[in-house]
Amino acid sequence: GLMGGPAQAEKRLDTFVDMPLLLTDPAKAAKDSWVHGAYDYHNNFAFNPNNEPDLHAPWMYSWTGAPWKTSAVLRAARTLFTDTPYGMPGNDDLGTISSWLVFGMAGVFEAQPGSGTYLLSTPMFEKVEIRPTGGRKIEIEAPGASAAKLQYTSDVRIGHRGYDRSWISHADLLRAGKIQF
C-alpha cells in the first residue's frame, strides 16, 4: 500500500531485478545488472543475491499478482552458482545462500522466516523429496522442469486436488504428501 499498490510494487521489483533484460538474457541480467561486490550495494538500487537482506525479493512477486516472475528471477540467480572456486555469490554464511538456492530450485520457500507460510514457485527439478524429521515424506513433482530455461507454473495440485494459491501453510505442507506442478 505504501508503494501505491500491487502494480507499483511490481514495477519497482521489475526495476530492482532488471526484468526486461532478465526475460531476454537471464545470465546477463544476473551478471551485469545485479550487485556483486561485498560493498557494491551502497547507493545501488539493484538485486543483491549475495547478501541476506535481498533474499526474499524474488518471492515478493507473489503479492503483486505476478508469481511467474519469481521463477524468472530464480533461474537468473541460478546462473551465478557454478562448480568453480568462486561458485556462489557472496559469503555462504553457514549455508544461507546455498540453502536459499536449494529451496528456490525445489519450488518451496519461506520468504518470511518463522511465518509458517511457504511461497510456491516453478521447480527446477523434475522430482524433489523432503523428509521432515518425524513427519511424512513430501514429494514435489514437476515433469519437464529445467533450470536452464524460463518456465512458469500453470497448475498446482496438492495431494490429488487442484490448488489455487501461490502459498501453502507449514501444516498443509506437512500433510500434503505430494505437490505437483
Side-chain angles (χ1 to χ4, degrees), residues 88-133:
M88 69 171 34
N91 179 341
D92 198 27
D93 290 334
L94 302 174
T96 299
I97 304 297
S98 54
S99 63
W100 171 79
L101 180 69
V102 169
F103 277 101
M105 292 179 80
V108 179
F109 183 77
E110 188 178 26
Q112 295 171 296
S115 68
T117 301
Y118 300 86
L119 297 173
L120 303 174
S121 62
T122 305
M124 294 183 223
F125 300 109
E126 289 196 9
K127 186 170 183 177
V128 173
E129 288 185 7
I130 301 172
R131 297 176 183 264
T133 302

Short mmCIF file of all heavy atoms in Angstrom, two decimals, residues 88-133:
data_model
loop_
_atom_site.label_atom_id
_atom_site.label_comp_id
_atom_site.label_asym_id
_atom_site.label_seq_id
_atom_site.Cartn_x
_atom_site.Cartn_y
_atom_site.Cartn_z
N MET A 88 29.72 -19.38 -5.93
CA MET A 88 28.48 -18.82 -5.41
C MET A 88 28.68 -17.35 -5.12
O MET A 88 29.78 -16.91 -4.81
CB MET A 88 28.00 -19.56 -4.16
CG MET A 88 28.84 -19.36 -2.94
SD MET A 88 28.10 -20.03 -1.44
CE MET A 88 27.25 -21.46 -2.01
N PRO A 89 27.62 -16.58 -5.26
CA PRO A 89 27.75 -15.16 -4.97
C PRO A 89 27.86 -14.94 -3.47
O PRO A 89 27.14 -15.54 -2.68
CB PRO A 89 26.46 -14.57 -5.53
CG PRO A 89 25.48 -15.69 -5.51
CD PRO A 89 26.28 -16.95 -5.71
N GLY A 90 28.75 -14.10 -3.06
CA GLY A 90 28.86 -13.71 -1.66
C GLY A 90 29.38 -14.77 -0.72
O GLY A 90 29.98 -15.76 -1.13
N ASN A 91 29.15 -14.55 0.54
CA ASN A 91 29.58 -15.42 1.62
C ASN A 91 28.41 -16.33 1.97
O ASN A 91 27.31 -15.86 2.23
CB ASN A 91 29.96 -14.55 2.82
CG ASN A 91 30.41 -15.33 4.01
OD1 ASN A 91 30.13 -16.52 4.15
ND2 ASN A 91 31.09 -14.67 4.92
N ASP A 92 28.63 -17.62 2.04
CA ASP A 92 27.54 -18.56 2.27
C ASP A 92 26.94 -18.45 3.67
O ASP A 92 25.85 -18.94 3.92
CB ASP A 92 28.01 -19.99 2.02
CG ASP A 92 26.85 -20.94 1.82
OD1 ASP A 92 25.78 -20.51 1.38
OD2 ASP A 92 27.01 -22.14 2.12
N ASP A 93 27.60 -17.77 4.58
CA ASP A 93 27.05 -17.53 5.92
C ASP A 93 26.39 -18.77 6.52
O ASP A 93 25.18 -18.80 6.76
CB ASP A 93 26.07 -16.36 5.91
CG ASP A 93 26.76 -15.03 5.68
OD1 ASP A 93 27.95 -14.91 6.03
OD2 ASP A 93 26.12 -14.11 5.16
N LEU A 94 27.19 -19.80 6.73
CA LEU A 94 26.73 -21.05 7.34
C LEU A 94 25.61 -21.73 6.55
O LEU A 94 24.75 -22.39 7.11
CB LEU A 94 26.29 -20.81 8.79
CG LEU A 94 27.37 -20.23 9.70
CD1 LEU A 94 26.79 -19.89 11.06
CD2 LEU A 94 28.54 -21.19 9.83
N GLY A 95 25.62 -21.56 5.26
CA GLY A 95 24.66 -22.25 4.40
C GLY A 95 23.47 -21.43 3.96
O GLY A 95 22.60 -21.94 3.27
N THR A 96 23.42 -20.17 4.31
CA THR A 96 22.27 -19.34 3.97
C THR A 96 22.07 -19.21 2.47
O THR A 96 20.98 -19.43 1.95
CB THR A 96 22.40 -17.94 4.60
OG1 THR A 96 22.47 -18.09 6.01
CG2 THR A 96 21.24 -17.04 4.23
N ILE A 97 23.12 -18.83 1.75
CA ILE A 97 22.98 -18.57 0.32
C ILE A 97 22.71 -19.87 -0.44
O ILE A 97 21.84 -19.92 -1.32
CB ILE A 97 24.25 -17.86 -0.23
CG1 ILE A 97 24.54 -16.57 0.54
CG2 ILE A 97 24.11 -17.59 -1.73
CD1 ILE A 97 23.48 -15.50 0.46
N SER A 98 23.43 -20.93 -0.10
CA SER A 98 23.22 -22.20 -0.81
C SER A 98 21.84 -22.80 -0.50
O SER A 98 21.18 -23.32 -1.39
CB SER A 98 24.33 -23.20 -0.51
OG SER A 98 24.49 -23.38 0.88
N SER A 99 21.38 -22.70 0.74
CA SER A 99 20.06 -23.25 1.06
C SER A 99 18.96 -22.40 0.40
O SER A 99 17.93 -22.93 -0.01
CB SER A 99 19.84 -23.36 2.56
OG SER A 99 19.87 -22.10 3.19
N TRP A 100 19.18 -21.10 0.27
CA TRP A 100 18.25 -20.22 -0.44
C TRP A 100 18.05 -20.74 -1.86
O TRP A 100 16.93 -20.86 -2.35
CB TRP A 100 18.80 -18.80 -0.44
CG TRP A 100 18.07 -17.82 -1.30
CD1 TRP A 100 16.90 -17.18 -1.01
CD2 TRP A 100 18.48 -17.34 -2.58
NE1 TRP A 100 16.55 -16.34 -2.04
CE2 TRP A 100 17.50 -16.41 -3.02
CE3 TRP A 100 19.57 -17.60 -3.42
CZ2 TRP A 100 17.59 -15.76 -4.24
CZ3 TRP A 100 19.65 -16.94 -4.63
CH2 TRP A 100 18.66 -16.02 -5.03
N LEU A 101 19.17 -21.08 -2.53
CA LEU A 101 19.08 -21.58 -3.89
C LEU A 101 18.39 -22.94 -3.92
O LEU A 101 17.53 -23.18 -4.78
CB LEU A 101 20.47 -21.69 -4.53
CG LEU A 101 20.44 -22.23 -5.96
CD1 LEU A 101 19.81 -21.20 -6.90
CD2 LEU A 101 21.82 -22.63 -6.42
N VAL A 102 18.73 -23.83 -3.01
CA VAL A 102 18.13 -25.17 -3.00
C VAL A 102 16.61 -25.08 -2.83
O VAL A 102 15.85 -25.71 -3.56
CB VAL A 102 18.76 -26.06 -1.90
CG1 VAL A 102 17.97 -27.34 -1.71
CG2 VAL A 102 20.20 -26.37 -2.27
N PHE A 103 16.13 -24.28 -1.86
CA PHE A 103 14.69 -24.14 -1.68
C PHE A 103 14.05 -23.48 -2.90
O PHE A 103 12.96 -23.87 -3.32
CB PHE A 103 14.37 -23.34 -0.41
CG PHE A 103 14.41 -24.19 0.82
CD1 PHE A 103 15.51 -24.17 1.66
CD2 PHE A 103 13.35 -25.02 1.15
CE1 PHE A 103 15.55 -24.96 2.80
CE2 PHE A 103 13.38 -25.81 2.27
CZ PHE A 103 14.49 -25.79 3.11
N GLY A 104 14.72 -22.49 -3.48
CA GLY A 104 14.20 -21.86 -4.69
C GLY A 104 14.10 -22.85 -5.84
O GLY A 104 13.11 -22.86 -6.58
N MET A 105 15.10 -23.70 -5.98
CA MET A 105 15.08 -24.69 -7.05
C MET A 105 14.04 -25.77 -6.79
O MET A 105 13.50 -26.36 -7.73
CB MET A 105 16.47 -25.29 -7.23
CG MET A 105 17.48 -24.29 -7.78
SD MET A 105 19.13 -24.98 -7.97
CE MET A 105 18.91 -25.86 -9.53
N ALA A 106 13.73 -26.03 -5.53
CA ALA A 106 12.70 -27.02 -5.18
C ALA A 106 11.30 -26.47 -5.37
O ALA A 106 10.34 -27.23 -5.50
CB ALA A 106 12.89 -27.48 -3.74
N GLY A 107 11.15 -25.15 -5.39
CA GLY A 107 9.84 -24.54 -5.61
C GLY A 107 9.06 -24.22 -4.36
O GLY A 107 7.88 -23.88 -4.44
N VAL A 108 9.69 -24.31 -3.19
CA VAL A 108 9.01 -24.04 -1.92
C VAL A 108 9.95 -23.21 -1.05
O VAL A 108 11.07 -23.63 -0.76
CB VAL A 108 8.66 -25.36 -1.19
CG1 VAL A 108 7.99 -25.09 0.14
CG2 VAL A 108 7.78 -26.23 -2.06
N PHE A 109 9.51 -22.02 -0.62
CA PHE A 109 10.41 -21.13 0.12
C PHE A 109 9.63 -20.34 1.16
O PHE A 109 8.59 -19.76 0.86
CB PHE A 109 11.09 -20.17 -0.84
CG PHE A 109 12.10 -19.26 -0.18
CD1 PHE A 109 13.34 -19.73 0.17
CD2 PHE A 109 11.79 -17.94 0.09
CE1 PHE A 109 14.28 -18.89 0.78
CE2 PHE A 109 12.71 -17.09 0.69
CZ PHE A 109 13.95 -17.58 1.04
N GLU A 110 10.14 -20.29 2.39
CA GLU A 110 9.52 -19.50 3.45
C GLU A 110 10.13 -18.09 3.39
O GLU A 110 11.16 -17.81 3.98
CB GLU A 110 9.77 -20.15 4.81
CG GLU A 110 8.99 -19.48 5.92
CD GLU A 110 9.21 -20.14 7.27
OE1 GLU A 110 10.26 -20.77 7.49
OE2 GLU A 110 8.32 -20.00 8.12
N ALA A 111 9.46 -17.21 2.66
CA ALA A 111 10.00 -15.87 2.44
C ALA A 111 9.98 -15.00 3.68
O ALA A 111 10.76 -14.06 3.80
CB ALA A 111 9.24 -15.17 1.31
N GLN A 112 9.10 -15.29 4.62
CA GLN A 112 9.05 -14.57 5.89
C GLN A 112 9.41 -15.57 6.98
O GLN A 112 8.55 -16.32 7.43
CB GLN A 112 7.66 -13.99 6.13
CG GLN A 112 7.27 -12.93 5.13
CD GLN A 112 5.81 -12.56 5.28
OE1 GLN A 112 4.93 -13.36 5.07
NE2 GLN A 112 5.58 -11.32 5.66
N PRO A 113 10.68 -15.62 7.38
CA PRO A 113 11.12 -16.62 8.35
C PRO A 113 10.23 -16.64 9.59
O PRO A 113 9.87 -15.61 10.15
CB PRO A 113 12.54 -16.17 8.70
CG PRO A 113 13.00 -15.43 7.49
CD PRO A 113 11.77 -14.73 6.98
N GLY A 114 9.88 -17.85 9.99
CA GLY A 114 9.07 -18.04 11.18
C GLY A 114 7.57 -17.88 10.95
O GLY A 114 6.78 -18.07 11.87
N SER A 115 7.16 -17.54 9.74
CA SER A 115 5.75 -17.31 9.46
C SER A 115 4.96 -18.61 9.33
O SER A 115 3.74 -18.61 9.49
CB SER A 115 5.58 -16.49 8.17
OG SER A 115 5.97 -17.26 7.04
N GLY A 116 5.63 -19.68 8.97
CA GLY A 116 4.92 -20.93 8.72
C GLY A 116 4.17 -20.92 7.41
O GLY A 116 3.27 -21.72 7.18
N THR A 117 4.54 -20.01 6.52
CA THR A 117 3.92 -19.92 5.19
C THR A 117 5.02 -20.00 4.14
O THR A 117 5.99 -19.25 4.18
CB THR A 117 3.15 -18.59 5.04
OG1 THR A 117 2.15 -18.52 6.05
CG2 THR A 117 2.50 -18.49 3.68
N TYR A 118 4.83 -20.91 3.21
CA TYR A 118 5.80 -21.11 2.14
C TYR A 118 5.20 -20.64 0.82
O TYR A 118 4.04 -20.92 0.52
CB TYR A 118 6.16 -22.60 2.01
CG TYR A 118 6.76 -23.17 3.26
CD1 TYR A 118 5.94 -23.67 4.28
CD2 TYR A 118 8.13 -23.18 3.45
CE1 TYR A 118 6.48 -24.18 5.44
CE2 TYR A 118 8.68 -23.69 4.62
CZ TYR A 118 7.86 -24.19 5.60
OH TYR A 118 8.39 -24.69 6.76
N LEU A 119 6.00 -19.93 0.04
CA LEU A 119 5.56 -19.49 -1.27
C LEU A 119 5.98 -20.53 -2.29
O LEU A 119 7.06 -21.13 -2.18
CB LEU A 119 6.17 -18.13 -1.60
CG LEU A 119 5.71 -17.02 -0.65
CD1 LEU A 119 6.47 -15.74 -0.91
CD2 LEU A 119 4.22 -16.78 -0.79
N LEU A 120 5.14 -20.76 -3.28
CA LEU A 120 5.39 -21.76 -4.30
C LEU A 120 5.88 -21.08 -5.57
O LEU A 120 5.39 -20.02 -5.95
CB LEU A 120 4.10 -22.53 -4.61
CG LEU A 120 3.43 -23.21 -3.41
CD1 LEU A 120 2.10 -23.81 -3.82
CD2 LEU A 120 4.34 -24.27 -2.82
N SER A 121 6.87 -21.69 -6.20
CA SER A 121 7.36 -21.19 -7.48
C SER A 121 7.73 -22.41 -8.33
O SER A 121 7.84 -23.52 -7.82
CB SER A 121 8.57 -20.27 -7.29
OG SER A 121 9.64 -20.97 -6.68
N THR A 122 7.95 -22.20 -9.59
CA THR A 122 8.22 -23.30 -10.50
C THR A 122 9.53 -23.99 -10.16
O THR A 122 10.59 -23.35 -10.18
CB THR A 122 8.26 -22.78 -11.96
OG1 THR A 122 7.04 -22.09 -12.22
CG2 THR A 122 8.43 -23.91 -12.94
N PRO A 123 9.49 -25.28 -9.83
CA PRO A 123 10.71 -26.01 -9.50
C PRO A 123 11.66 -26.12 -10.69
O PRO A 123 11.25 -26.00 -11.85
CB PRO A 123 10.20 -27.41 -9.12
CG PRO A 123 8.77 -27.22 -8.77
CD PRO A 123 8.29 -26.10 -9.66
N MET A 124 12.92 -26.37 -10.40
CA MET A 124 13.93 -26.57 -11.43
C MET A 124 14.36 -28.03 -11.52
O MET A 124 15.25 -28.37 -12.29
CB MET A 124 15.14 -25.68 -11.17
CG MET A 124 14.81 -24.21 -11.30
SD MET A 124 16.27 -23.17 -11.08
CE MET A 124 15.60 -21.89 -10.06
N PHE A 125 13.74 -28.89 -10.72
CA PHE A 125 13.99 -30.32 -10.75
C PHE A 125 12.68 -31.03 -11.08
O PHE A 125 11.61 -30.57 -10.68
CB PHE A 125 14.45 -30.84 -9.37
CG PHE A 125 15.72 -30.22 -8.87
CD1 PHE A 125 15.69 -29.33 -7.81
CD2 PHE A 125 16.94 -30.54 -9.44
CE1 PHE A 125 16.85 -28.77 -7.32
CE2 PHE A 125 18.11 -29.98 -8.96
CZ PHE A 125 18.07 -29.10 -7.90
N GLU A 126 12.76 -32.15 -11.75
CA GLU A 126 11.55 -32.91 -12.04
C GLU A 126 10.97 -33.55 -10.79
O GLU A 126 9.77 -33.72 -10.69
CB GLU A 126 11.82 -33.97 -13.10
CG GLU A 126 12.04 -33.35 -14.48
CD GLU A 126 11.94 -34.35 -15.61
OE1 GLU A 126 11.52 -35.51 -15.38
OE2 GLU A 126 12.26 -33.96 -16.74
N LYS A 127 11.85 -33.90 -9.83
CA LYS A 127 11.35 -34.51 -8.60
C LYS A 127 12.26 -34.14 -7.43
O LYS A 127 13.47 -34.16 -7.55
CB LYS A 127 11.29 -36.02 -8.73
CG LYS A 127 10.64 -36.68 -7.51
CD LYS A 127 10.37 -38.15 -7.75
CE LYS A 127 9.66 -38.71 -6.53
NZ LYS A 127 9.29 -40.09 -6.70
N VAL A 128 11.62 -33.79 -6.33
CA VAL A 128 12.32 -33.47 -5.07
C VAL A 128 11.58 -34.21 -3.96
O VAL A 128 10.35 -34.25 -3.97
CB VAL A 128 12.29 -31.95 -4.79
CG1 VAL A 128 12.85 -31.63 -3.40
CG2 VAL A 128 13.04 -31.18 -5.86
N GLU A 129 12.33 -34.76 -3.03
CA GLU A 129 11.72 -35.36 -1.85
C GLU A 129 12.24 -34.64 -0.61
O GLU A 129 13.43 -34.43 -0.48
CB GLU A 129 12.06 -36.85 -1.73
CG GLU A 129 11.36 -37.70 -2.75
CD GLU A 129 11.62 -39.19 -2.54
OE1 GLU A 129 12.24 -39.58 -1.52
OE2 GLU A 129 11.20 -39.97 -3.40
N ILE A 130 11.31 -34.28 0.25
CA ILE A 130 11.66 -33.66 1.53
C ILE A 130 11.20 -34.64 2.60
O ILE A 130 10.05 -35.10 2.59
CB ILE A 130 10.95 -32.30 1.71
CG1 ILE A 130 11.35 -31.34 0.59
CG2 ILE A 130 11.26 -31.71 3.09
CD1 ILE A 130 10.56 -30.04 0.57
N ARG A 131 12.11 -34.96 3.50
CA ARG A 131 11.80 -35.92 4.55
C ARG A 131 11.93 -35.24 5.92
O ARG A 131 12.99 -35.28 6.53
CB ARG A 131 12.72 -37.12 4.46
CG ARG A 131 12.55 -37.89 3.16
CD ARG A 131 13.54 -39.04 3.06
NE ARG A 131 13.41 -39.71 1.80
CZ ARG A 131 12.69 -40.82 1.61
NH1 ARG A 131 12.06 -41.35 2.62
NH2 ARG A 131 12.62 -41.37 0.43
N PRO A 132 10.83 -34.62 6.38
CA PRO A 132 10.88 -33.94 7.68
C PRO A 132 11.11 -34.94 8.81
O PRO A 132 10.57 -36.05 8.78
CB PRO A 132 9.50 -33.30 7.82
CG PRO A 132 8.83 -33.44 6.50
CD PRO A 132 9.54 -34.52 5.75
N THR A 133 11.87 -34.57 9.80
CA THR A 133 12.10 -35.42 10.96
C THR A 133 10.76 -35.75 11.62
O THR A 133 10.01 -34.85 11.96
CB THR A 133 13.04 -34.73 11.97
OG1 THR A 133 14.26 -34.42 11.31
CG2 THR A 133 13.31 -35.62 13.16
#
